[in-house]
Every structure is written in C-alpha cells, then in structure tokens.
Amino acid sequence: MKRAGDIGAIFVLTGAGISAESGVETFRDVGGIWSKVRLEDVATPEGFARDPQKVHAFYNARRAGLAAVDPNPAHRALARLEAEFPGQLTLVTQNIDDLHERAGSKTVIHMHGELVRSLCARCGARADAPGDLSTTLACGACGKVGGMRPDVVWFGEMPYHMDEITERLISADLFVSIGTSGAVYPAAGFVAEARSAGISTLELNLEPSEGSFLFDEARHGLASALVPAFVDEMIGAARSS
Ligand code: NAD
Ligand code: APR
C-alpha cells in the first residue's frame, strides 16, 4: 500500500458495518435484517407492488429507529478526514441512514438511496420523507395518489450516481472499504476495479469480507477502533511529509 503521505485522492466505501456500533442492524451478520424479514418482500419492486403497506411499515420502523441512534467514532473520523483533506475524499455509502451527515460529513454519495427521502414512483419527484410515508397519499409534485415509496434502491434496481462513482473510483489513489460484506454488486466489484486501475486497496471490517483476498491490506476489528486509527495515520503522514 502507498505511504499515506503520498496519497492524493481517497475513495471510501462504507456498508452497514460502520453503523453497527451505533445500534443500526446489519443485513448479513448473525441475526441480521435478512434473517428476520424476506428481502424479496421488502427490498424489491415486486415486493412493493405486492404489498406496499408492508414495505412502508418496514422502512417506517427503520426511519423511526434513526431518531434513537447516533453517529459513532468511525463516522466522526471520516468527517475529520474530509475536513483535513478538502476536495480529496470521495465518500460513497451503501447505507440508507443519515449517520455520516449527522457526524459532519459534508459530501456523501448514497448509492442505495436515503431512508429520510421519499420518491414518487409516478413522476420521480423526491422530498424529505415524513415519519410515516404510507400516510402521504398524494405526491406533492404531481398530485397523483399512491405513488409514494422510500427513496431506496431495491434488489434488481440500478444504484444511484454510478457514473460519478466509477469516475471517482478509477481516479483515486487509495480505495478503502469499511463495514461491508462484499455480497452485493456493483459495490462488491469496486475493489477489483480499483486493483485493475493500479489503485492501493485497504479493507477495514469486523471479519474478512467475500472480497478480502483482493485487498492489498485488510485490517479486521471494530470500525469504531479501526477507522479513527486509519484517519490518524493518514493525517499524521500528511503532516510529516
Ligand atoms: P444482488 O447481488 O444485490 O442480489 C441478487 C439477488 O440475490 C437479489 O435479487 C436477491 O433476491 C438475492 N439476494 C441477495 N442477497 C440475498 C440474501 N441475503 N438472501 C436471499 N437472497 C438474496 O443483485 P441485484 O438484485 O441486481 O441488486 C441490484 C442492486 O440493488 C444492487 O446493486 C444493490 O446495490 C441494490 N440493493 C439495494 C438494497 C437496499 O436495501 N438499499 C437492497 C438490495 C439491493
Ligand atoms: N465494525 C466493522 N465491521 C462490522 C461491524 C463493526 N462493528 N459490524 C459488522 N461489520 C461487518 C460485518 O462483518 C459484515 O462484513 O459489516 C459487514 C456488514 O455486511 P452486510 O450486513 O452484508 O451489509 P452491507 O455489506 O452493507 O450490505 C450491502 O446489501 O441488502 C443490501 O442494500 C443493502 O446496502 C446493503 C447491501
């Protein structure tokens, strides 16, 4: 891996694991979300068409849960990294929570959408989501009834901002993957793309992810310890170079 002081552009990808210590459930850990609810019922367009109320209830509960959780030291460390290296950090998250923003990160690319936003399936208008989206019968933009859904990317749908993400990934100097199992594409393919572009790669995760073997370096442990230590290392090296 390149010496931290030589690093120009840093591309960070985060997954559910960075929010785990804030009390937000992950998806594929033991007891994770997909062991309790069928993703086909609540995280696919077909599931929404079949039973929109079930999907609204699933995301309403997760939205309500956000009020009870706070960013953890890992989120705050990435906000510090962004402040220390203005314009050099790209932060892409698979997470739909708002913990990066609440920790102080100014620019966050949500490739799977945001729990706190709503989307009109009829006209594409987006808005801040009220607590209970299912009670928002009519779209505020087109006025049509019954098209409101969480602004979240479901299985089978294309993630958001992929052109910008790819452009920033292949022009980075360092790719860091934090708290993701590497189970879902296209995010799971970012490390291979980075390697083929000759970019240094680092994994910070509780345990080896599905793509761990592809990383130049992998550090395993709690994000709340690994991420602040990584940020201190980057800042220290930049200041001493
Ligand atoms: P995928 O690799 O995400 O999943 C392929 C299929 O495998 C899915 O259709 C799903 O039915 C099944 N699957 C995945 N994980 C599973 C699990 N733990 N248990 C049982 N079945 C599982 O590919 P995709 O379907 O093409 O997804 C397209 C995009 O949607 C992905 O890029 C992903 O980023 C996004 N996505 C977002 C969410 C969300 O909640 N925000 C959920 C899923 C997918
Ligand atoms: N510190 C670091 N890593 C952690 C911690 C922690 N405290 N707790 C869990 N992890 C790791 C787990 O080891 C696991 O590898 O975080 C990862 C969480 O993986 P998943 O539950 O699969 O979540 P994620 O990778 O974000 O899922 C990707 O799948 O269902 C879709 O759209 C959904 O965005 C999600 C995508």
Side-chain angles (χ1 to χ4, degrees), residues 27-28 34-35 37-40 42-44 46 58-59 62 94-96 111-113 151-159 162 183-188:
F27 292 93
R28 295 172 186 85
W34 297 145
S35 68
V37 63
R38 280 172 34 88
L39 66 87
E40 289 78 3
V42 296
T44 62
E46 298 78 9
F58 174 69
Y59 287 99
R62 292 177 67 193
Q94 299 174 90
N95 298 341
I96 58 178
M111 65 182 288
H112 289 172
D151 185 14
V152 164
V153 175
W154 286 326
F155 284 102
E157 296 179 328
M158 268 315 287
M162 284 310 297
V184 173
Y185 285 82

Side-chain angles (χ1 to χ4, degrees), residues 118-127 139 141-142 147 151:
S118 65
L119 170 67
C120 175
R122 296 171 189 277
C123 74
R126 285 182 169 80
C139 165
C142 69
D151 185 14

Side-chain angles (χ1 to χ4, degrees), residues 14-18 20-21 26-29 34 94-95 112 153 155 179-184 204-209 221-224:
T14 63
I18 199 171
E21 290 164 86
T26 64
F27 292 93
R28 295 172 186 85
D29 285 317
W34 297 145
Q94 299 174 90
N95 298 341
H112 289 172
V153 175
F155 284 102
T180 180
S181 61
V184 173
L204 305 178
N205 204 58
L206 187 64
E207 60 203 7
S209 71
L222 295 173
S224 61

Side-chain angles (χ1 to χ4, degrees):
M1 200 177 104
K2 264 187 179 175
R3 213 172 54 77
D6 306 335
I7 300 293
I10 310 167
F11 183 109
V12 173
L13 168 71
T14 63
I18 199 171
S19 298
E21 290 164 86
S22 294
V24 180
E25 283 181 304
T26 64
F27 292 93
R28 295 172 186 85
D29 285 317
V30 173
I33 294 173
W34 297 145
S35 68
K36 290 185 251 184
V37 63
R38 280 172 34 88
L39 66 87
E40 289 78 3
D41 291 343
V42 296
T44 62
E46 298 78 9
F48 185 65
R50 219 172 19 249
D51 187 347
Q53 288 311 325
K54 180 175 193 148
V55 174
H56 281 311
F58 174 69
Y59 287 99
N60 286 342
R62 292 177 67 193
R63 194 176 301 114
L66 278 184
V69 299
D70 294 310
N72 66 56
H75 297 105
R76 287 196 292 273
L78 290 181
R80 193 155 53 91
L81 186 68
E82 180 189 55
E84 192 71 27
F85 295 91
Q88 287 176 254
L89 174 67
T90 295
L91 175 55
V92 175
T93 186
Q94 299 174 90
N95 298 341
I96 58 178
D97 63 51
D98 59 351
L99 293 174
H100 281 304
E101 290 85 349
R102 286 164 56 192
S105 289
K106 300 286 181 281
T107 306
V108 184
I109 300 176
H110 282 270
M111 65 182 288
H112 289 172
E114 297 177 75
L115 196 50
V116 294
R117 303 281 286 163
S118 65
L119 170 67
C120 175
R122 296 171 189 277
C123 74
R126 285 182 169 80
D128 289 341
D132 177 353
L133 200 49
S134 61
T135 59
T136 315
L137 291 177
C139 165
C142 69
K144 290 194 175 74
V145 173
M148 298 313 288
R149 60 172 274 186
D151 185 14
V152 164
V153 175
W154 286 326
F155 284 102
E157 296 179 328
M158 268 315 287
Y160 295 154
H161 313 298
M162 284 310 297
D163 291 345
E164 180 185 2
I165 288 172
T166 303
E167 191 183 315
R168 287 169 174 265
L169 176 61
I170 59 176
S171 54
D173 295 290
L174 173 63
F175 170 65
V176 186
S177 177
I178 303 171
T180 180
S181 61
V184 173
Y185 285 82
F190 288 177
V191 59
E193 270 186 86
R195 284 178 65 86
S196 57
I199 294 165
S200 301
T201 54
L202 170 64
E203 175 175 77
L204 305 178
N205 204 58
L206 187 64
E207 60 203 7
S209 71
E210 292 188 21
S212 240
F213 66 98
L214 291 169
F215 286 85
D216 297 321
E217 186 184 353
R219 300 175 193 170
H220 297 134
L222 295 173
S224 61
L226 290 176
V227 182
F230 162 70
V231 170
D232 289 344
E233 181 187 315
M234 295 294 289
I235 293 171
R239 285 181 180 163
S240 62
S241 62

